């Protein structure tokens, strides 16, 4: 059997969200399937050095192209190639519109339907229309959390029997309780972080509720002035109000913006934090909340989307629409004595053990093989 995969989401330097998911799924399939199936990974450009190496059953097909690559390059190739995949997997919302083989897609979340004003109009319409079409034509749909599956079925009842939950996970070699302090010190120096801090790590965009977090941190800072807020992540869209909020409240000395953080630095940045805060309006999963728990760092997350599912009772759950609730959640962790703090860390470590990229890759492969037979 030949499995075709659109690997472009993984073939970039600065990976977040769906990029990390695609990267890990590629490596997962590569590691568990050495000879049962053949793979063709379709890319716009030469594969990056950290992607799996080519071997007998793992090949890359480069189809140079631009922003309309799926339609202008991928679709014609899949229609007319002599070596056509038996099934095609798109680890994102955008399946090729026309193929002669079964298609499978992944859905990260459905938040764009609830919060359309958080997106640019073009991005919203592309995401909503193409996602709906992808789910309609797909043999199976991977949802990265149970809450995402429920949202899919709620909006698209026809997809009820197509959706399979394949949760995200974390790299146990990078995120664990043994991350060395020397690495933490180096990363803090690199990003000009001095003293203790609360960490936010994600793309800067409205859905992450950073403005709400900053408002909450104003109250936190009064009670715990020794802590800074570190905002780590690349600029997404509609982020001007975040920086305006900091300027208007004269918080420049209390809030540190790092911009994009390299993957190699993430474990140390997370490990150095007193707590990890993610009060999002929605999350398809919340991968860095899981990374934080795996690294032994308590989490304060919102009660929306998949975050309660990922964190369970191992973190502090808050209402993202209630600034005081966010502030109280953060202050609760910062005021814990050593015993209670250690207990919360232990709960997080146990919760993280429930997730595995190997299991997710195995389930993904099982469904891809089933799609061919269906």
């Amino acid at each position: 059997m030949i499995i075709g995969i659109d690997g472009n989401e993984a073939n970039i330097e600065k990976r977040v969200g769906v990029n990390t998911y695609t990267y890990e799924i590629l490596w997962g399939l590569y590691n568990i399937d050495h000879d049962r199936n053949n793979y063709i990974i379709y890319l716009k450009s030469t594969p990056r050095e950290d992607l799996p190496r080519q071997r007998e059953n793992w090949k890359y097909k480069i189809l140079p192209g631009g922003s309309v690559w799926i339609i202008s390059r991928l679709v014609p190739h899949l229609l007319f190639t002599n070596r056509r995949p038996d099934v095609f997997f798109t680890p994102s919302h955008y399946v090729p519109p026309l193929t002669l083989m079964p298609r499978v897609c992944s859905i990260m979340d459905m938040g764009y339907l609830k919060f359309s004003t958080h997106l640019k109009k073009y991005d919203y319409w592309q995401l909503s229309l193409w996602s709906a079409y992808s789910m309609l034509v797909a043999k199976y749909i991977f949802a990265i959390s149970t809450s995402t599956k429920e949202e899919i079925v709620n909006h698209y009842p026809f997809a009820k029997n197509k959706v399979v939950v394949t949760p995200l996970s974390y790299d146990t070699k990078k995120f664990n309780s043994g991350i060395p302090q020397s690495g933490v010190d180096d990363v803090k120096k690199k990003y000009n972080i001095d003293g203790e801090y609360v960490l936010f790590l994600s793309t800067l965009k409205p859905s992450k509720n950073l403005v709400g977090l900053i408002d909450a941190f104003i109250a936190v800072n009064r009670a715990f002035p020794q802590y800074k807020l570190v905002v780590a992540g690349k600029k997404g869209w509609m982020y001007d109000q975040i920086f305006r909020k900091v300027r208007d409240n004269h918080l420049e000395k209390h809030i540190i913006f790092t911009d994009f953080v390299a993957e190699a630095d993430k474990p140390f940045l997370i490990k150095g934090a007193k707590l990890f805060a993610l009060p999002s309006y929605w999350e398809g999963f919340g991968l860095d909340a899981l990374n934080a728990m795996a690294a032994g760092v308590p989490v304060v997350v919102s009660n929306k989307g998949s975050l309660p599912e990922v964190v369970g009772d191992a973190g502090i759950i808050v209402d993202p629409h209630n600034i005081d609730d966010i502030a109280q959640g953060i202050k609760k962790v910062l005021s814990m004595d050593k015993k209670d703090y250690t207990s919360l860390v232990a709960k997080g470590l146990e919760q993280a053990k429930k997730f595995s990229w190997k299991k997710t890759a195995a389930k993904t492969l099982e469904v891809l093989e089933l799609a061919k037979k269906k």
Side-chain angles (χ1 to χ4, degrees):
M1 173 176 166
I2 301 176
I3 299 174
I5 303 177
D6 180 347
N8 286 295
E9 292 289 359
N11 199 35
I12 64 173
E13 179 183 1
K14 297 180 178 182
R15 298 187 185 102
V16 297
V18 67
N19 315 120
T20 301
Y21 164 72
T22 305
Y23 176 81
E24 294 290 354
I25 287 296
L26 289 179
W27 268 109
L29 293 172
Y30 186 84
N31 287 330
I32 67 172
D33 193 358
H34 294 274
D35 51 21
R36 195 162 83 204
N37 297 289
N38 292 302
Y39 294 83
I40 303 175
I41 314 303
Y42 295 89
L43 301 174
K44 299 178 186 178
S45 57
T46 303
R48 293 180 58 81
E49 290 187 1
D50 59 350
L51 289 183
R53 299 285 185 180
Q54 286 201 131
R55 65 187 183 198
E56 186 62 30
N57 78 324
W58 189 277
K59 305 294 182 182
Y60 292 98
K61 180 65 179 179
I62 314 303
L63 302 172
S67 59
V68 292
W69 177 83
I70 293 176
I71 295 172
S72 66
R73 298 291 286 133
L74 181 60
V75 168
H77 178 82
L78 293 176
L79 289 174
F80 299 110
T81 182
N82 292 325
R83 192 166 187 253
R84 184 176 295 123
D86 296 298
V87 62
F88 193 88
F89 172 37
T90 300
S92 75
H93 295 223
Y94 305 127
V95 301
L98 181 63
T99 66
L100 299 175
M101 75 284 293
R103 286 159 287 183
V104 178
C105 68
S106 298
I107 299 295
M108 301 295 107
D109 67 73
M110 304 295 290
Y112 56 88
L113 294 179
K114 286 184 177 181
F115 301 96
S116 59
T117 56
H118 290 188
L119 298 169
K120 298 175 183 177
K121 286 186 178 180
Y122 175 84
D123 293 336
Y124 167 74
W125 285 111
Q126 174 176 288
L127 188 56
S128 59
L129 294 176
W130 205 332
S131 297
Y133 176 79
S134 294
M135 288 184 278
L136 179 66
V137 301
K139 290 291 184 182
Y140 289 102
I141 302 161
F142 293 121
I144 62 173
S145 64
T146 300
S147 66
T148 296
K149 176 181 179 177
E150 292 171 351
E151 286 289 311
I152 291 171
V153 175
N154 181 50
H155 288 285
Y156 303 103
F158 65 78
K160 181 179 180 179
N161 296 320
K162 295 183 178 184
V163 187
V164 179
V165 177
T166 50
L168 305 189
S169 186
Y170 64 100
D171 188 333
T172 57
K173 294 179 181 178
K174 293 181 179 179
F175 299 97
N176 53 68
S177 57
I179 297 170
Q181 184 61 41
S182 58
V184 173
D185 294 339
D186 290 342
V187 165
K188 287 179 66 175
K189 184 177 180 180
K190 177 179 178 179
Y191 293 101
N192 298 312
I193 302 169
D194 60 313
E196 297 186 284
Y197 59 95
V198 171
L199 176 65
F200 167 93
L201 174 59
S202 192
T203 302
L204 277 59
K205 55 184 180 180
S207 66
K208 302 299 180 178
N209 193 24
L210 248 177
V211 171
L213 177 58
I214 292 170
D215 277 332
F217 185 73
I218 293 172
V220 172
N221 186 246
R222 293 194 194 103
F224 299 91
Q226 70 271 35
Y227 288 95
K228 290 184 170 63
L229 173 63
V230 173
V231 176
K234 70 178 183 179
K235 298 182 182 71
W237 54 85
M238 299 171 68
Y239 49 78
D240 290 341
Q241 59 181 326
I242 297 168
F243 295 98
R244 190 181 310 118
K245 172 70 70 171
V246 172
R247 290 195 303 270
D248 291 349
N249 288 277
H250 309 291
L251 295 169
E252 291 88 348
K253 293 182 179 180
H254 304 281
I255 298 180
I256 300 168
F257 290 91
T258 69
D259 208 332
F260 178 80
V261 173
E263 282 297 314
D265 294 338
K266 272 189 179 183
F268 305 106
L269 186 65
I270 290 174
K271 184 63 176 179
K274 186 70 173 180
L275 68 88
F276 177 89
L278 189 64
S280 305
Y281 292 121
W282 83 82
E283 288 286 344
F285 190 83
L287 182 56
D288 282 315
L290 177 58
N291 289 338
M293 290 190 297
V297 175
V299 298
V300 176
V301 300
S302 82
N303 60 7
K304 304 298 181 183
S306 66
L307 286 169
E309 175 186 342
V310 173
V311 173
D313 65 353
I316 307 300
I317 309 297
V318 299
D319 180 357
H321 298 284
N322 186 325
I323 302 303
D324 184 61
D325 199 33
I326 299 171
Q328 290 301 321
I330 294 173
K331 288 192 282 188
K332 181 176 181 178
V333 177
L334 297 183
S335 61
M336 283 180 174
D337 59 27
K338 185 176 181 179
K339 180 181 178 182
D340 289 341
Y341 186 87
T342 301
S343 175
L344 189 57
V345 167
K347 285 183 178 180
L349 291 171
E350 285 302 308
Q351 179 70 8
K353 291 178 182 178
K354 297 177 181 180
F355 300 88
S356 163
W357 278 122
K358 185 176 181 179
K359 291 180 182 177
T360 295
K363 187 64 177 180
T364 300
L365 179 56
E366 176 187 328
V367 173
L368 291 176
E369 291 178 333
L370 191 60
K372 169 62 170 64
K373 301 173 184 178
K374 190 173 181 180

